[in-house]
Amino acid sequence: MEESNSSSEKGFLLLGFSDQPQLERILFVIILLFYILNLLGNTAIILVSYLDPKLHTPMYFFLSNLSCVDICFTTSVAPQLLVTMNKKDKNMSYGGCVAQLYVATGLGSSECILLAVMAYDRYAAVCRPLHYITIVHPQLCASLASTAWLSGLITSLIQCSLTVQLPLCGHRKLDHIFCEVPVLIKLACVDTTFNEVELFVASVIFLIVPVSLILVSYGFITRAVLRIKSTAGRSKAFGTCSSHLLVVIIFYGTIIFMYLQPAKSSSKNQGKFVSLFYTIVTPLLNPIIYTLRNKDVKGAMRTLVMGNAFSS
């Protein structure tokens, strides 16, 4: 009993990249830079979408929600990771690990659903343009966004509650970059078949199902776009959806690799880099992709900056 409780009393050793000090120093600078840019970029999208009346549309409502999720998701991982990388003992309190587990799991799950919702919005905009306003009305937008947030909360409560009940028998070394369900399950000293099955079911619901719906949506979108005779109209329609599709491919590709691969199919460092990518890198790609490839957002930002400059 004393050995089982040692993890909750002493916390965990979050090893990260401590076995490669030079790489850890380089990654510290990169993660810090990416985190700052993530905060600035996603906050800018939220402000612009709120302040510019031209962007008060379903697409930018969902984009603002995505930016909010990305800010919170990265913040649940990056600050703790930076603190741990910058000290020698690598210790993380048990309470801090559990809190991070619940928050990161919930926000990651919410983003999975939100990206599928955005695909439905693009489907309605391209395939049903004449009825778009009546289909994707404000009440539906609020309901879909609320569903994304609540589904993340529910799956986090279920998955994480089951995970933290597993006895660890004194195992304190987390050879990872943050507290994540698959990593904690591997630390358990009892049969984890039930937890692994539950994790697989949750992964199917929050990864495979949304990806399937997104692919179906873009199948209809592609068919509709190919019917457009005008080259300019076709290019505009593809441009409307390409940004979202790029975010989807990058996010789902890395997270599916982490959650649906066999437990012993990749090295530990590979898993760390993959987790680093979808928690730190991907959230930054959202503002970069949507600002560099979107004339409306660039124009709104330019107007906002110019307006503030003249007012001061």
Side-chain angles (χ1 to χ4, degrees), residues 134-150:
T134 56
I135 294 174
V136 192
H137 50 82
Q139 292 82 4
L140 179 63
C141 290
S143 298
L144 290 174
S146 299
T147 300
W149 286 93
L150 287 173

Side-chain angles (χ1 to χ4, degrees), residues 200-273:
F200 178 79
V201 172
S203 299
V204 169
I205 294 172
F206 284 89
L207 295 175
I208 302 303
V209 172
V211 166
S212 300
L213 293 175
I214 290 169
L215 292 176
V216 170
S217 297
Y218 276 93
F220 283 113
I221 289 171
T222 302
R223 188 174 67 175
V225 169
L226 292 176
R227 290 176 180 173
I228 299 175
K229 296 180 179 180
S230 167
T231 305
R234 193 182 304 168
S235 299
K236 183 179 179 181
F238 271 124
T240 304
C241 304
S242 59
S243 299
H244 175 248
L245 190 57
L246 186 57
V247 172
V248 165
I249 292 171
I250 294 171
F251 178 75
Y252 281 106
T254 52
I255 205 167
I256 285 175
F257 179 86
M258 181 66 187
Y259 276 78
L260 290 179
Q261 65 168 333
K264 299 180 180 180
S265 65
S266 65
S267 67
K268 291 180 179 180
N269 277 344
Q270 194 174 31
K272 294 175 192 177
F273 279 111

Side-chain angles (χ1 to χ4, degrees), residues 163 166-169 171 183-192 195:
T163 303
L166 291 171
L168 304 180
C169 300
H171 297 160
V183 180
L184 287 174
I185 288 177
K186 291 177 183 178
L187 280 187
C189 57
V190 294
D191 182 29
T192 58
N195 296 78

Side-chain angles (χ1 to χ4, degrees), residues 40-62:
L40 294 175
N42 280 300
T43 301
I45 285 181
I46 294 171
L47 289 175
V48 167
S49 299
Y50 176 76
L51 295 174
D52 192 329
K54 295 179 182 178
L55 302 184
H56 291 176
T57 63
M59 175 181 173
Y60 294 102
F61 171 75
F62 293 129

Side-chain angles (χ1 to χ4, degrees), residues 38-89:
N38 170 34
L39 293 179
L40 294 175
N42 280 300
T43 301
I45 285 181
I46 294 171
L47 289 175
V48 167
S49 299
Y50 176 76
L51 295 174
D52 192 329
K54 295 179 182 178
L55 302 184
H56 291 176
T57 63
M59 175 181 173
Y60 294 102
F61 171 75
F62 293 129
L63 180 58
S64 297
N65 275 268
L66 181 63
S67 292
C68 184
V69 170
D70 281 338
I71 289 173
C72 297
F73 186 35
T74 307
T75 301
S76 71
V77 175
Q80 177 62 51
L81 178 58
L82 290 169
V83 169
T84 307
M85 293 174 77
N86 202 36
K87 61 182 184 178
K88 293 181 179 180
D89 59 8

